[in-house]
């Protein structure tokens, strides 16, 4: 029975090794994604980074994270901001509402007494910002 030949310590070590391997693959994909997200870097520089990632993966990965780590953060934040902006535009487009429609609804709520003048002004400023 091959399962009986493995001790608990060996099994735990295998689990840790698998975990570290998955983390390493995740880091590689993050680096490669960041490489292709950077529009300021030339194609040749990207190719060299990929070449080194293939042949000297650990050292290249560490160097990339040290040298370009802050840029990775900035590009990730910009990508998330762009994605949110596009999603908000899509939702607004699907809802068929314009800022003018929203202002009209706010005005109706103010006239009915559901909103005070201060709440109306705050919502209007937020909508027009």
């Amino acid at each position: 029975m091959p399962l009986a030949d493995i001790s608990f310590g060996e099994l735990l070590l295998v689990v840790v090794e698998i975990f570290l391997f998955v983390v390493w693959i995740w880091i590689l994909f993050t680096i490669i994604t960041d490489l292709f997200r950077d529009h300021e870097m030339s194609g040749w520089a990207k190719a060299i980074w990929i070449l080194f990632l293939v042949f000297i993966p650990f050292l290249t990965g560490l160097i990339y994270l040290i040298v370009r780590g802050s840029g990775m953060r900035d590009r990730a934040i910009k990508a998330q901001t762009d994605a949110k902006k596009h999603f908000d535009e899509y939702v607004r487009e699907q809802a068929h509402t314009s800022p003018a429609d929203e202002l009209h609804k706010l005005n109706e709520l103010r006239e009915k007494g559901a909103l005070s003048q201060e709440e109306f002004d705050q919502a209007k400023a937020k909508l027009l910002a």
Side-chain angles (χ1 to χ4, degrees):
M1 196 167 201
L3 195 57
D5 294 340
I6 292 181
S7 69
F8 180 73
E10 291 171 335
L11 184 63
L12 192 60
L13 184 62
V14 168
V15 169
V16 169
E17 289 172 350
I18 291 172
F19 172 77
L20 291 175
F21 179 73
V22 169
V23 167
W24 175 244
I25 295 296
W26 189 353
I27 290 171
L28 282 178
F29 279 121
T30 303
I31 289 172
I32 292 170
T33 302
D34 182 66
L35 271 172
F36 289 103
R37 186 182 287 156
D38 186 5
H39 299 293
E40 295 176 6
M41 185 183 290
S42 72
W44 287 104
K46 291 176 185 180
I48 291 170
W49 274 111
I50 295 291
L51 187 70
F52 278 106
L53 276 172
V54 169
F55 291 110
I56 314 170
F58 293 112
L59 183 63
T60 306
L62 287 174
I63 291 171
Y64 188 88
L65 292 175
I66 291 168
V67 172
R68 299 183 45 91
S70 62
M72 286 178 72
R73 179 184 162 276
D74 296 339
R75 284 183 291 279
I77 289 172
K78 184 180 181 309
Q80 290 171 356
T81 304
D82 290 345
K84 183 182 181 329
K85 181 180 136 193
H86 291 299
F87 177 74
D88 290 345
E89 288 174 4
Y90 173 77
V91 169
R92 198 171 293 119
E93 188 178 289
Q94 294 302 314
H96 298 295
T97 60
S98 67
D101 293 336
E102 293 294 325
L103 281 174
H104 182 67
K105 289 177 187 177
L106 285 173
N107 190 37
E108 286 178 356
L109 288 172
R110 184 188 57 163
E111 288 173 354
K112 290 180 184 177
L115 288 178
S116 68
Q117 184 63 37
E118 287 180 14
E119 293 171 331
F120 173 78
D121 292 337
Q122 289 174 352
K124 180 180 172 184
K126 183 179 178 183
L127 185 64
L128 296 176

